[in-house]
Amino acid sequence: MQPAEARFNKNSLLLALRRYSLAVSDMEQTILLPSLLRDLPSDELWDCEAAEETCTDLYDNYLMLKAIRNTVESGHVPLDDHKAKNSTALNKSLEPLLDADPEVLFRFHLKGLFSVMGDLTKKTQSLTEKYMDIIGVAN
Amino acid sequence: MQPAEARFNKNSLLLALRRYSLAVSDMEQTILLPSLLRDLPSDELWDCEAAEETCTDLYDNYLMLKAIRNTVESGHVPLDDHKAKNSTALNKSLEPLLDADPEVLFRFHLKGLFSVMGDLTKKTQSLTEKYMDIIGVAN
């Protein structure tokens, strides 16, 4: 992958996916006792008003970030995942535009995926820092 | 890439991107005189009622499919592209959900990109077949 990667710039989707993957590896190596994250509210990390489902505790966030990393690394697109209900809501709101213009849709999803990977990378780094605060290790 | 690719199944995003890239290469190798596509309406290939912009002629479609392939192969995410207006419309319709749940958003864009790549691959193959019809070569 090295020669191909050399020409990727900071707006590369593959680089964003790789950055996320590395952030999760770093999180895994840092968080040696994930159970310490249990029952700790995740409201600093996630927008709880908007997303009730992700606002259980930091341990659930930890598991979720790892699950997404596994999806990223396998490259497998989960066509019937457990969050299908919410995805359907998203699709419904897009219905009038879904068949509109494949070029626009392509760029929309490319940018969307790029953007959400950046967001998830930040959340992974925040969770890692949060853990270090909990165990009393300075960053 | 070969060892990593071996484990990708048919629902792999990377495989969908590669399939598209191959379809466009095939199109380029087949369409030796792209100018023959000029002034031929693209209404069979695209949903013209929904997407006026893409319904110029088959030659424009040909250029557009190649441009998307270049984006796919470079991995570069065009953050300020010329279709920004339409993307903004898409983003606006999603506004209430954009900050909802990064996991849902991740799966939504992953599936969306996978789906639109399949659609664009079919359109590329259709355009290639259309060209062969025009020059009188049987498939």
Side-chain angles (χ1 to χ4, degrees):
Chain A
M1 292 287 286
Q2 203 52 42
E5 217 169 85
R7 64 194 161 89
F8 293 156
N9 62 18
K10 66 185 171 66
N11 291 341
S12 157
L13 174 64
L14 293 187
L15 203 57
L17 292 168
R18 179 148 304 199
R19 253 190 240 118
Y20 176 68
S21 195
L22 286 173
V24 175
S25 290
D26 185 50
M27 176 184 80
E28 280 182 310
Q29 283 167 20
T30 305
I31 301 182
L32 297 176
L33 289 169
S35 59
L36 290 180
L37 300 170
R38 275 192 203 280
D39 301 327
L40 293 174
S42 56
D43 50 349
E44 281 174 40
L45 216 61
W46 308 93
D47 180 2
C48 286
E49 278 180 35
E52 281 176 31
E53 280 190 47
T54 49
C55 291
T56 44
D57 62 17
L58 289 179
Y59 182 71
D60 285 323
N61 295 162
Y62 170 82
L63 293 180
M64 190 262 272
L65 292 166
K66 278 178 62 169
I68 292 177
R69 190 270 317 269
N70 293 344
T71 304
V72 164
E73 291 194 350
S74 73
H76 176 76
V77 180
L79 295 181
D80 50 346
D81 59 86
H82 66 288
K83 298 259 181 177
K85 199 180 134 202
N86 286 357
S87 296
T88 307
L90 275 172
N91 281 320
K92 260 208 170 333
S93 75
L94 268 181
E95 251 170 25
L97 296 152
L98 267 177
D99 296 318
D101 184 331
E103 187 183 7
V104 172
L105 258 189
F106 163 72
R107 293 179 196 282
F108 170 71
H109 285 301
L110 186 66
K111 282 200 271 186
L113 194 54
F114 178 76
S115 162
V116 79
M117 289 329 294
D119 187 32
L120 286 165
T121 302
K122 280 183 201 151
K123 285 188 194 311
T124 306
Q125 290 161 342
S126 298
L127 184 57
T128 308
E129 283 169 24
K130 185 93 186 165
Y131 178 86
M132 289 169 82
D133 282 349
I134 292 166
I135 59 166
V137 174
N139 291 328
Chain B
M1 291 287 287
Q2 203 52 41
E5 217 168 86
R7 64 193 162 91
F8 292 155
N9 63 18
K10 65 185 171 67
N11 290 343
S12 157
L13 174 64
L14 293 187
L15 204 57
L17 292 169
R18 180 149 303 199
R19 253 190 241 119
Y20 176 68
S21 195
L22 286 173
V24 175
S25 290
D26 185 49
M27 176 184 81
E28 279 183 309
Q29 283 167 18
T30 304
I31 301 182
L32 297 177
L33 289 169
S35 58
L36 290 179
L37 299 170
R38 274 193 203 281
D39 301 328
L40 294 173
S42 56
D43 50 349
E44 282 174 39
L45 216 60
W46 308 93
D47 180 2
C48 287
E49 278 180 36
E52 281 177 31
E53 279 188 46
T54 49
C55 291
T56 44
D57 61 18
L58 289 179
Y59 182 72
D60 284 324
N61 295 162
Y62 170 82
L63 293 181
M64 190 261 271
L65 292 167
K66 279 178 61 167
I68 293 177
R69 189 270 318 268
N70 293 344
T71 305
V72 164
E73 292 194 351
S74 73
H76 177 77
V77 180
L79 296 181
D80 51 345
D81 59 86
H82 65 287
K83 298 260 181 176
K85 199 182 133 203
N86 287 357
S87 297
T88 307
L90 275 171
N91 281 321
K92 261 208 170 332
S93 74
L94 267 181
E95 251 170 23
L97 296 152
L98 268 177
D99 297 318
D101 185 332
E103 188 183 7
V104 172
L105 258 190
F106 163 72
R107 293 179 196 280
F108 170 71
H109 285 301
L110 185 65
K111 282 201 269 185
L113 194 53
F114 177 76
S115 162
V116 79
M117 290 328 295
D119 187 31
L120 285 165
T121 302
K122 279 184 202 150
K123 284 187 195 309
T124 306
Q125 290 161 341
S126 299
L127 183 57
T128 308
E129 282 169 25
K130 185 92 185 163
Y131 178 85
M132 288 167 82
D133 281 349
I134 292 166
I135 60 166
V137 174
N139 291 327

